[in-house]
Amino acid sequence: MPNHSIVELIRRKRDNGELTGDEVAWIIAAFTSGEVKKYQMSALLMAIVWRGMTDGELSAWTDAMLHSGEVLDLSAVPMPKIDKHSTGGVGDKVSIPLAPIVAACGVAVPMMSGRGLGHTGGTLDKLESIPGFSPFVPPAQFVPGLTEHQLVLAGQTETLVPADKAIYALRDASGTVPSIPLISSSIMSKKLSEDLDGLVLDVKVGKGAFMKSVAEATELAETMAAIGKRHGTPTVAHLTAMDQPLGNKIGNTLEIEESLDILRGGGPADMIEITRTLAVEMLVLSGIARDADAAFSMYRRVVSTGAALAKFRDVVEEQGGDPAIVDGTRPLADAPHRHTLRARSDGFVRDCDALAIGMAVVRLGGGRVAAEDVVDPTVGVVLAAKVGDEVAEGDELATIHYSTPDQLASALPLLEQAWATVPHPVEAPPLLISRISGR
Ligand code: URA
């Protein structure tokens, strides 16, 4: 690869010029090897935040990230391989029931998830609240695991897309996270390294999401779908609402409980709606279901017969987790204390602020402020009133599960402001906003 001057490339990007594919490939390789320094990469990232990327730059950037490490080869897995990714929200535990439901229908799901940082939870933290469960699945285990169970529940391995890990840490420390091309290439390089036949994206919009407006979320979804298409991986995105938390339980063990409810055929209506919509999309994308109606029948069958729950049980046990948790014969650990939050007046709930509730769970110890923080899996919030519900003064809005009085005192101010009621009826907003296809 020819050598380049990083300073000249930073200047060009700063002045709104375009980088060639070779230059982009060199930047990522030279950063990974240490030749391009962190301060130089930070300057380039800031230029990208301001100037954006052309389609050619974005394609080259994603491709260079994707090939910065090992790429899975799942060609020996005989089933279609489809994964789902959510851009992150509060109470978003959909991946946990969705993956075994789709796997029980015969699609291979090489699920690779991350930990929570900030107000959004991470699937990995939730799964790790099952005693004994290990998300460390080495790349060589994917083919046997998927062939036998059609499902692996893995954490991001160090060997896949190492450039993203290093660049994400820099972005976090240099104020360069909010950039649609940088977010898209970061997410898509990791997903494309899984050697998928198709990808379904859940792009969250609203107070508790990265993307606060439908316009921004649409641009992110279209950008990711276009990357998938260019790479030959059909990608479908759904924009879904994240102004209030998804489901009723927020916190790691609480979210496992609610995921098990969904797998047993119960659970809150909003969780069911998103899980079903994304499952139908994955089943149709895989070709296993000929259309949405057929996919919906498959979904109903694997949930009502217990096949999806059994799939989850098998994979949890295979990865060291206690199957009695899935069977419901042993409860998950619970926080030692409860505090009930009550409505201060009669009315209808207009706001149940996902960001405030997500931040409150972090203050209870259920999330991270810094990557090295240790999470308390038992704490969280159980919602009793959501947008549109009628409440009378003194009715329960939520129950807080907490471990120490200090953590409760720190979380309460956020929770006390999270609910707003008005005297007139409020219609619950739609959950599914739009669908964007990059097939
Ligand atoms: N999630 C990612 O994986 N990368 C980003 O840049 C933002 C969210």
Side-chain angles (χ1 to χ4, degrees):
M1 201 180 279
N3 221 348
H4 297 275
S5 155
I6 186 64
V7 177
E8 197 276 316
L9 299 181
I10 294 168
R11 279 199 204 112
R12 188 172 343 133
K13 194 68 215 164
R14 179 197 66 194
D15 297 340
N16 217 12
E18 185 171 358
L19 304 174
T20 67
D22 280 352
E23 287 164 343
V24 168
W26 175 81
I27 290 166
I28 300 289
F31 176 65
T32 308
S33 71
E35 185 181 342
V36 166
K37 305 296 174 207
K38 286 183 181 174
Y39 51 83
Q40 293 169 320
M41 190 56 144
S42 303
L44 180 67
L45 291 168
M46 188 56 89
I48 291 170
V49 167
W50 281 98
R51 297 300 191 184
M53 278 186 187
T54 62
D55 287 350
E57 286 173 329
L58 180 59
S59 198
W61 187 277
T62 309
D63 213 46
M65 300 255 284
L66 169 61
H67 292 106
S68 64
E70 195 177 351
V71 177
L72 290 182
D73 176 2
L74 302 183
S75 53
V77 177
M79 306 88 190
K81 292 149 307 249
I82 312 283
D83 198 8
K84 166 260 183 183
H85 177 81
S86 162
T87 55
V90 177
D92 182 6
K93 72 280 291 170
V94 167
S95 289
I96 298 168
L98 174 68
I101 287 170
V102 174
C105 295
V107 174
V109 185
M111 205 176 81
M112 236 188 263
S113 0
R115 295 185 193 285
L117 189 61
H119 70 281
T120 64
T123 299
L124 212 52
D125 294 321
K126 297 169 197 176
L127 288 169
E128 281 184 332
S129 69
I130 301 174
F133 180 86
S134 166
F136 300 107
V137 181
Q141 259 320 106
F142 273 74
V143 170
L146 288 171
T147 305
E148 189 179 353
H149 298 295
Q150 296 74 58
L151 179 62
V152 289
L153 300 170
Q156 211 70 53
T157 38
E158 301 283 321
T159 51
L160 299 179
V161 200
D164 180 65
K165 194 165 185 211
I167 293 175
Y168 195 85
L170 265 193
R171 288 169 59 206
D172 206 26
S174 63
T176 53
V177 170
S179 148
I180 284 177
L182 291 177
I183 296 173
S184 311
S185 54
S186 163
I187 292 173
M188 291 303 287
S189 59
K190 285 179 285 200
K191 288 289 135 184
L192 297 176
S193 75
E194 295 173 18
D195 191 17
L196 301 172
D197 297 312
L199 175 63
V200 173
L201 299 167
D202 183 359
V203 178
K204 298 286 183 201
V205 193
K207 289 194 186 90
F210 259 123
M211 299 290 134
K212 307 293 178 199
S213 74
V214 171
E216 277 177 310
T218 303
E219 192 185 340
L220 178 64
E222 284 174 346
T223 306
M224 291 194 288
I227 292 174
K229 187 172 180 177
R230 273 200 298 272
H231 188 265
T233 306
T235 300
V236 176
H238 279 267
L239 261 62
T240 68
M242 187 34 76
D243 279 319
Q244 62 176 341
L246 187 60
N248 296 337
K249 296 185 175 177
I250 305 108
N252 294 300
T253 53
L254 291 168
E255 293 194 41
I256 292 290
E257 279 175 18
E258 194 164 86
S259 302
L260 291 171
D261 292 343
I262 298 288
L263 285 168
R264 293 182 184 123
D270 57 350
M271 267 296 295
I272 296 174
E273 188 177 357
I274 301 239
T275 308
R276 206 167 51 197
T277 301
L278 300 181
V280 165
E281 203 67 80
M282 290 171 80
L283 292 168
V284 172
L285 204 51
S286 73
I288 276 196
R290 71 179 175 281
D291 57 25
D293 286 344
F296 184 48
S297 302
M298 287 178 163
Y299 176 101
R300 268 211 312 241
R301 181 175 46 78
V302 298
V303 174
S304 64
T305 58
L309 186 69
K311 179 69 71 187
F312 187 57
R313 183 192 194 281
D314 287 349
V315 174
V316 164
E317 191 171 26
E318 174 85 21
Q319 294 185 217
D322 182 353
I325 299 285
V326 183
D327 295 337
T329 51
R330 185 166 304 136
L332 282 154
D334 199 356
H337 307 292
R338 301 273 186 286
H339 176 88
T340 305
L341 199 69
R342 297 194 180 277
R344 280 184 293 238
S345 57
D346 297 352
F348 295 84
V349 177
R350 189 200 59 202
D351 275 324
C352 170
D353 186 327
L355 179 59
I357 296 170
M359 286 311 302
V361 173
V362 174
R363 291 190 186 179
L364 291 172
R368 293 185 183 78
V369 178
E372 59 281 6
D373 291 350
V374 176
V375 162
D376 178 348
T378 66
V379 297
V381 177
V382 179
L383 309 179
K386 293 184 72 176
V387 175
D389 290 345
E390 185 173 9
V391 291
E393 185 183 343
D395 277 358
E396 178 186 338
L397 295 177
T399 299
I400 305 160
H401 294 225
Y402 69 99
S403 289
T404 72
D406 284 355
Q407 287 169 329
L408 177 67
S410 155
L412 263 183
L414 285 171
L415 291 166
E416 278 163 355
Q417 286 169 17
W419 276 262
T421 53
V422 288
H424 50 79
V426 174
E427 213 178 308
L431 200 54
L432 302 173
I433 298 168
S434 64
R435 176 181 182 277
I436 288 156
S437 171
R439 294 194 74 166

